[in-house]
Amino acid sequence: MDIGQITNMMRAGVMQVFILIAPVLGAALIVGLVVAIFQATTSIQEQTLTFLPKMLTILAILALLGGWMFAELRDYTITLFNQIPRL
């Protein structure tokens, strides 16, 4: 195994993490922005107000996309295990 193979495996792993976490982080970012705009327009500066909407959004995204995330992670793991004999 040379440094190129290790680099490619690490790059693929990091990209897989980015692909899996992007929908969750994107939804949380959008909800946080909407709540922040709401807080700014109404002058409500409660720090705990953003917690519940973000938590519910993240749980909903995980419920909707959890199967897809698991399938992607399973496929990546199978690909890694199939590469073991070539290393």
Side-chain angles (χ1 to χ4, degrees):
M1 179 180 335
D2 61 347
I3 193 72
Q5 290 176 329
I6 295 172
T7 304
N8 286 336
M9 288 173 61
M10 293 297 290
R11 182 181 304 132
V14 169
M15 286 305 296
Q16 192 69 30
V17 169
F18 285 155
I19 290 169
L20 291 178
I21 202 67
V24 176
L25 288 179
L29 177 70
I30 291 170
V31 169
L33 183 63
V34 169
V35 171
I37 291 171
F38 173 74
Q39 284 180 325
T41 57
T42 59
S43 298
I44 299 173
Q45 296 302 321
E46 180 64 33
Q47 294 295 327
T48 59
L49 184 64
T50 61
F51 180 73
L52 186 64
K54 279 185 187 179
M55 186 178 70
L56 292 177
T57 302
I58 289 171
L59 289 175
I61 293 295
L62 287 176
L64 291 173
L65 298 178
W68 169 76
M69 290 176 169
F70 181 73
E72 287 289 319
L73 193 58
R74 182 195 63 216
D75 292 342
Y76 178 70
T77 304
I78 290 171
T79 302
L80 281 179
F81 283 142
N82 287 338
Q83 289 180 358
I84 289 174
R86 288 184 270 159
L87 299 177

